[in-house]
């Protein structure tokens, strides 16, 4: 199998390189310790308790696990290590239906661990461990090909994107929070290789120097065919520049919300809907429904919703939502 890393001693994971997957997810993973919401944050020396806690694999695995739960054939291109955390992560990913044939094992390293603490409808993170190598900054294309690929943009050059685009892979990009506060728009240069860009409203407005999600989407639509800007409880703004469509969707009202993993679940659901042949409007509605189900805890704590949990959640809202779920997942399965 092609080693995605350069200058790192790795042992390659097992691969079935002839298999064409629905989706490849590229990026680092973390072992997430997921708490249910705190009533208040602890003071120094104080111990607070939540109702429950769960372990799940996060980072790029959030998208991979969410897509696999919806029925997509998924491979994950990431670094795994040789320590105790990596030995936990591997079987957890396999149990969630995520293939590891595009991943590599990095000697003398272990997957970082993140505590995700939800509070007042949002969440905070604390991560321990050395960071992974940015896999998309290498020149090689993935050893396992997929129809769609998800990746987070990096400041560095990302030659992997050009290689995957040359293989006609449809690339879906997002971008992380810029802790430096610079929000350098040069990072957007990578969009020339991408089909879609899915930032949240803060990321979109900061990188484009605009004042609203819609204005930001219009700027970004000049760089990439499809832009979907998420606005949390306020919903979505989307522009398909190829078709000339501009759509807005209101968000779902969800009680007892836990936003951990919601953005990645939204992206996974968007890719799933497009893979199932849905148009932009239906894809946005489906993605919002899946993300809302994740926020509402429709599945077990820390788990993305699969068909059964999603159908039960959709039935709370009405016939159209239920049919949207059934028709989309049926189309995916038959395709």
């Amino acid at each position: 199998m092609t080693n995605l890393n350069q200058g790192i001693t790795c042992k390659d994971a097992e691969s079935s390189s002839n298999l064409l997957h629905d989706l490849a997810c590229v990026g680092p993973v973390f072992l997430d310790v997921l708490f249910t919401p705190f009533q208040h944050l602890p003071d120094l020396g104080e111990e607070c308790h939540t109702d429950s806690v769960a372990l799940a694999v996060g980072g790029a695995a959030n998208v991979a696990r969410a897509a696999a739960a919806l029925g997509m054939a998924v491979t994950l291109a990431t670094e795994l290590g040789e320590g105790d955390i990596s030995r936990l992560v591997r079987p957890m990913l396999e149990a969630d239906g995520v293939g590891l044939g595009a991943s590599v094992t990095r000697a003398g390293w272990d997957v970082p661990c993140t505590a995700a603490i939800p509070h007042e409808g949002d969440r905070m993170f604390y991560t321990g461990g050395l960071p992974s190598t940015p896999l998309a900054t290498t020149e090689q294309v993935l050893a396992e090909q997929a129809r769609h690929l998800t990746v987070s943009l990096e400041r560095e050059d990302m030659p992997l994107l050009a290689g995957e685009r040359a293989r006609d892979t449809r690339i879906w990009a997002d971008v992380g929070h810029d802790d430096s506060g610079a929000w350098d728009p040069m990072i957007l240069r990578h969009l020339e290789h991408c089909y879609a860009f899915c930032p949240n409203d803060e990321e979109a407005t900061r990188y484009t120097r605009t004042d609203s999600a819609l204005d930001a989407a219009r700027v970004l639509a000049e760089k990439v065919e499809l832009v979907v800007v998420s606005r949390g409880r306020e919903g979505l703004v989307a522009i398909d520049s190829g078709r000339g469509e501009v759509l807005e969707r209101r968000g779902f009202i969800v009680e007892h919300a836990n936003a951990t993993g919601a953005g990645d679940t939204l992206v996974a659901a968007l890719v799933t809907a497009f893979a199932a042949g849905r148009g932009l409007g239906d894809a946005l509605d489906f993605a919002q429904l899946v993300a809302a189900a994740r926020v509402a805890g429709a599945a077990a704590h820390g788990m993305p919703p699969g068909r059964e949990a999603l159908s039960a959640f959709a039935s709370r809202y009405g016939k159209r939502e239920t049919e949207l779920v059934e028709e989309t997942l049926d189309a995916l399965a038959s395709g």
Side-chain angles (χ1 to χ4, degrees):
M1 178 187 122
T2 302
N3 187 343
L4 301 181
N5 300 279
Q6 294 174 333
I8 295 178
T9 302
C10 298
K11 295 185 294 184
D12 296 341
E14 294 181 3
S15 171
S16 53
S17 58
N18 293 328
L19 179 63
L20 178 64
H21 294 269
D22 295 323
L23 173 65
C25 300
V26 178
V29 299
F30 306 82
L31 178 62
D32 287 345
V33 183
L34 304 173
F35 294 91
T36 48
F38 284 85
Q39 295 301 314
H40 70 276
L41 296 181
D43 295 324
L44 289 176
E46 180 184 7
E47 182 179 9
C48 289
H49 290 267
T50 63
D51 293 337
S52 66
V53 66
L55 293 179
V57 191
N62 274 329
V63 179
R65 294 171 60 235
L70 295 172
M72 297 274 276
V74 182
T75 187
L76 177 64
T78 193
E79 282 190 334
L80 299 173
E82 299 178 317
D84 293 337
I85 296 176
S86 296
R87 283 192 285 272
L88 283 174
V89 163
R90 287 177 184 272
M92 290 171 69
L93 288 169
E94 291 167 350
D96 287 339
V98 176
L100 298 176
S103 295
V104 295
T105 301
R106 178 176 171 182
W109 180 80
D110 206 357
V111 169
C113 186
T114 295
I117 303 171
H119 184 63
E120 296 183 348
D122 210 327
R123 67 270 192 236
M124 298 168 284
F125 303 99
Y126 198 95
T127 298
L130 298 176
S132 174
T133 304
L135 300 182
T137 62
T138 64
E139 294 183 0
Q140 294 92 340
V141 294
L142 300 183
E144 295 189 321
Q145 191 174 359
R147 297 179 178 88
H148 300 265
L149 182 147
T150 60
V151 66
S152 289
L153 300 184
E154 302 280 352
R155 292 185 181 87
E156 298 86 354
D157 289 340
M158 300 178 72
L160 177 71
L161 301 185
E164 285 299 314
R165 185 181 181 185
R167 297 207 292 183
D168 294 324
T169 306
R170 181 172 277 187
I171 299 171
W172 299 70
D174 62 18
V175 67
H177 186 273
D178 186 355
D179 295 331
S180 73
W183 303 96
D184 185 356
M186 278 296 293
I187 200 171
L188 302 179
R189 70 190 186 279
H190 301 305
L191 293 180
E192 67 175 305
H193 301 299
C194 300
Y195 165 72
F197 185 42
C198 304
N200 64 34
D201 52 353
E202 180 188 25
E203 295 156 355
T205 55
R206 295 273 189 152
Y207 280 116
T208 59
R209 284 22 180 199
T210 54
D211 296 324
S212 72
L214 182 56
D215 287 342
R218 286 175 174 143
V219 173
L220 293 167
E222 297 176 1
K223 301 177 181 294
V224 67
E225 184 171 341
L226 176 64
V227 178
V228 180
V229 180
S230 58
R231 301 180 294 177
R233 297 175 180 175
E234 301 301 317
L236 302 172
V237 175
I239 298 179
D240 184 331
S241 58
R243 296 179 178 271
E245 292 183 274
V246 181
L247 298 178
E248 295 191 50
R249 289 291 191 270
R250 294 182 179 178
F252 282 83
I253 304 301
V254 176
E255 296 181 357
H256 309 296
N258 183 343
T260 304
D264 292 326
T265 301
L266 180 79
V267 173
L270 277 172
V271 178
T272 299
F274 273 78
R278 304 311 300 246
L280 179 58
D282 285 342
L284 295 177
D285 292 340
F286 177 78
Q288 285 220 116
L289 188 64
V290 178
R294 175 63 186 265
V295 169
H301 186 201
M303 295 295 294
R307 182 167 192 151
E308 182 177 351
L310 184 57
S311 295
F313 180 79
S315 67
R316 304 178 194 176
Y317 292 90
K319 181 179 179 181
R320 180 185 180 275
E321 286 77 11
T322 302
E323 290 177 345
L324 180 63
V325 170
E326 299 300 326
E327 291 170 1
T328 300
L329 298 186
D330 283 346
L332 179 70
S334 65

